[in-house]
Amino acid sequence: MSQPVQFASMVAPSKLATLNRLRKFSRLLDSAIGIPGTKFRFGLDPILGLIPGAGDFLGTVLSAYLVIEAARLGLPKETLLKMVSNIVLESAVGTLPVVGDLFDVAWKANTKNFELVEAHLNIPQAVEKKNPWFIFLLIAGLFIFSVGILAISFFTLKLLISVITG
């Protein structure tokens, strides 16, 4: 990831503050905890994914914050859609027991999404006029998806419990 100093001369102070906040947030979710003696890092998102039923829902809701802030920064629709697709992939695969948790650790959707924000702010572009309906529908769709993930997780958990208890 790039250092904040690189952007100081190219980004307005308010955007720089937002960028620094998003950097810390994505790091918290994806790579805040390092395993001593290795380069392996993970964050809060894969830990939340271990909570049966609600973990992937919570991870998706937290990840949506990056998309909302990216929209406020004026990122184009295509980039916002890419960000949401990163979250959807991580959340969908994350619902699979064990494999999903390992995928959560490796995929790091929040880091990928922060890099998309960073790349956008690094290239001076004409700012696209924000469409509040597009942003609303994008976030609403992500929320509906996350509720679906929550429902699937609960049904899967209920099925596993019934299979185990007979």
Side-chain angles (χ1 to χ4, degrees), residues 60 63-64 67 77-93 103 107-110 112-113 116 134 138-139 141-142 145:
T60 302
S63 295
V67 178
K77 292 176 186 176
E78 297 79 20
T79 305
L80 295 174
L81 286 170
K82 174 69 174 159
M83 292 174 75
V84 168
S85 69
N86 285 336
I87 296 168
V88 166
L89 178 62
E90 184 176 76
S91 298
V93 177
F103 184 78
W107 181 246
K108 299 183 187 296
N110 300 296
K112 290 178 186 306
N113 287 344
L116 289 170
F134 173 78
L138 190 65
I139 298 302
L142 186 57
F145 171 79

Side-chain angles (χ1 to χ4, degrees), residues 11 58 67 82-83 115 117 133 139 147 165:
V11 179
L58 291 172
V67 178
K82 174 69 174 159
M83 292 174 75
E115 289 170 355
V117 172
W133 282 107
I139 298 302
V147 169
T165 60

Side-chain angles (χ1 to χ4, degrees), residues 12-25:
S14 63
K15 286 187 178 183
L16 185 59
T18 300
L19 186 67
N20 286 332
R21 186 174 64 250
L22 294 179
R23 178 182 289 107
K24 290 175 186 173
F25 188 71

Side-chain angles (χ1 to χ4, degrees), residues 93-153:
V93 177
T95 60
L96 301 171
V98 183
V99 173
D101 298 321
L102 295 173
F103 184 78
D104 262 353
V105 170
W107 181 246
K108 299 183 187 296
N110 300 296
T111 299
K112 290 178 186 306
N113 287 344
F114 175 73
E115 289 170 355
L116 289 170
V117 172
E118 207 173 32
H120 172 78
L121 292 178
N122 194 18
I123 302 169
Q125 300 174 2
V127 177
E128 182 179 314
K129 186 177 185 233
K130 295 179 195 173
N131 181 341
W133 282 107
F134 173 78
I135 296 165
F136 172 77
L137 291 173
L138 190 65
I139 298 302
L142 186 57
F143 178 74
I144 291 168
F145 171 79
S146 65
V147 169
I149 291 292
L150 182 63
I152 290 169
S153 297

Side-chain angles (χ1 to χ4, degrees), residues 45-61:
D45 192 26
I47 294 171
L48 287 173
L50 295 173
I51 301 170
D56 292 307
F57 172 77
L58 291 172
T60 302
V61 170

